[in-house]
Amino acid sequence: ADHMPNLKAVQIYIGQTFILSDHFSGRSNDRLQLSSIALMVFFGKVLTKLESFSLHVGDCCWDEMKKMTDNGRAFVSLAAMPSLKKFSLNGLSFDDIAVLTSSLNPNLKFLELDYIRTISPTWCIPEVQALVGKLSQLTGLVSLSLSDHGLTDDDLKHMLPCLTNLRNLNISGRFGQSYDIHHSMLTDKGLMTISKYCPKLQSLDISYNRKATARGVKAVLMKCPDLLDLEASDLGISAQHVAELLKLSQKLLFFRFEGAQGHDIYLLHDAMKVSKGRTIISGSFTGLYEVQLSPPFQRTRDESMNKITKAYEQVSNVHIYNKWEGLV
């Protein structure tokens, strides 16, 4: 980093093949070892300038990454970096929840902790409470992502009143069939808590919280008028529900649910026409639904697609904490 004096952001992706290649051959993978001191030395003179740090890891490498990151202690030094505003971890594991919470810089505006494991595959109640307690102190957060979490309705009730600047929230549950009682526990009560304390939300992902229903989604759309992006896969939402839900929003650009087939697709076509082409609908496995629109409505649809594309491109911009900034 001493040779990059203008370094502001570090983004690292480590693929599963790299991590597991030596594991399956019976050799110890010591090609990558991170520690708190190693990171401090690496950043060197740019330590006070770094604004963004991201480390994403391939699937199913939690145990190997624990060894490579000193059980997560490698990231503790990031909490003291005065300029750090964006922090993203995906696919990491921590033996001690205190190590994770100690790694969270109080100045963060953008935080992703997706597919994080603790000492066991299941988040226990004290661990979730410790994380929620820490997140409640990060009052500057604009974007928060906690995919595959162990949050309950009560956790949201404790945390969200403190996060008044929040514009993007991802609290999607565990993908696929899961019988783990400590995952995907949010219900319509939790969604109503979101609608009460986060009326300025612009993006929300509540997918795979299978105890929630269209009733809770309706509450969110009614109380969050600025919502542009809503993902609600695997909540038992039908095509009929989609048609009813889209009537509640004047701004929604993108809606994802589990999808529809056969005659129900015509209900989605009608829903998109009712929105005058503004709202783009996607199924979890079917992708975007296409529909024949009048030229004015098609132009509106194209404008929506352009905004959505730019929003997701802006996520990697070190100076942007809300992906919709400048687009609406």
Side-chain angles (χ1 to χ4, degrees):
D2 288 343
H3 301 288
M4 297 177 283
N6 297 316
L7 186 67
K8 300 282 183 154
V10 172
Q11 185 173 351
I12 303 170
Y13 174 75
I14 306 175
Q16 184 188 66
T17 301
F18 175 87
I19 297 171
L20 299 181
S21 58
D22 286 344
H23 173 78
F24 287 118
S25 65
R27 300 191 301 270
S28 175
N29 191 332
D30 57 1
R31 291 175 289 177
L32 175 62
Q33 294 293 327
L34 292 177
S35 69
S36 184
I37 294 176
L39 283 181
M40 295 282 279
V41 171
F42 170 75
F43 291 129
K45 294 178 181 179
V46 302
L47 188 66
T48 60
K49 301 178 182 179
L50 194 73
E51 298 180 28
S52 175
F53 180 87
S54 171
L55 174 59
H56 290 200
V57 179
D59 293 339
C60 305
C61 299
W62 294 286
D63 290 340
E64 290 74 18
M65 286 308 299
K66 272 201 300 187
K67 298 174 184 177
M68 293 182 185
T69 61
D70 189 19
N71 293 317
R73 293 179 180 85
F75 310 111
V76 173
S77 60
L78 298 175
M81 294 184 177
S83 300
L84 194 71
K85 297 295 190 297
K86 301 184 76 168
F87 185 37
S88 178
L89 297 179
N90 185 310
L92 276 294
S93 185
F94 295 79
D95 268 351
D96 187 347
I97 190 64
V99 174
L100 174 57
T101 57
S102 297
S103 302
L104 302 181
N105 192 299
N107 301 315
L108 289 175
K109 293 183 179 296
F110 179 102
L111 175 62
E112 291 181 340
L113 298 174
D114 294 334
Y115 308 104
I116 301 296
R117 293 287 184 269
T118 53
I119 194 168
S120 68
T122 299
W123 282 78
C124 66
I125 293 175
E127 290 173 332
V128 174
Q129 291 176 339
L131 179 60
V132 167
K134 181 64 176 181
L135 293 175
S136 300
Q137 299 172 21
L138 305 182
T139 55
L141 282 177
V142 176
S143 295
L144 174 63
S145 182
L146 301 169
S147 293
D148 193 7
H149 58 83
L151 297 175
T152 65
D153 296 340
D154 287 339
D155 292 325
L156 292 186
K157 190 174 182 180
H158 177 79
M159 178 177 69
L160 292 182
C162 305
L163 305 181
T164 57
N165 295 304
L166 211 57
R167 297 296 180 270
N168 303 286
L169 178 62
N170 176 359
I171 46 172
S172 54
R174 178 166 291 181
F175 174 77
Q177 294 297 321
S178 175
Y179 301 97
D180 187 342
I181 62 172
H182 295 298
H183 277 273
S184 309
M185 293 184 289
L186 295 182
T187 71
D188 287 341
K189 183 179 178 181
L191 301 193
M192 291 176 186
T193 297
I194 294 172
S195 70
K196 178 178 180 180
Y197 292 110
C198 303
K200 296 181 180 180
L201 272 184
Q202 292 180 289
S203 274
L204 177 63
D205 190 343
I206 49 176
S207 300
Y208 312 118
N209 287 291
R210 298 170 186 85
K211 295 182 180 180
T213 69
R215 178 171 172 264
V217 176
K218 179 179 179 180
V220 170
L221 285 170
M222 291 179 67
K223 296 293 183 65
C224 300
D226 295 329
L227 206 59
L228 302 167
D229 173 16
L230 176 58
E231 302 203 25
S233 296
D234 214 1
L235 269 63
I237 295 176
S238 67
Q240 181 64 48
H241 287 139
V242 174
E244 296 170 356
L245 290 171
L246 295 194
K247 294 178 183 178
L248 301 174
S249 175
Q250 299 301 313
K251 294 185 179 181
L252 195 67
L253 301 180
F254 183 79
F255 181 79
R256 191 195 306 275
F257 76 123
E258 48 262 44
Q261 296 179 346
H263 182 73
D264 285 348
I265 293 178
Y266 291 103
L267 294 174
L268 301 183
H269 290 174
D270 291 342
M272 287 186 277
K273 291 177 181 177
V274 168
S275 77
K276 300 181 179 180
R278 184 194 68 247
T279 305
I280 293 169
I281 302 174
S282 176
S284 300
F285 300 105
T286 57
L288 300 182
Y289 288 98
E290 301 292 341
V291 61
Q292 285 292 118
L293 297 170
S294 65
F297 288 4
Q298 185 60 49
R299 285 193 293 271
T300 300
R301 180 181 173 87
D302 293 341
E303 290 172 2
S304 292
M305 281 297 301
N306 186 45
K307 290 177 181 178
I308 293 166
T309 300
K310 288 183 177 179
Y312 282 88
E313 289 174 351
Q314 290 197 147
V315 172
S316 60
N317 188 321
V318 65
H319 300 298
I320 293 180
Y321 315 120
N322 175 7
K323 65 186 181 184
W324 296 103
E325 183 178 322
L327 299 178
V328 293

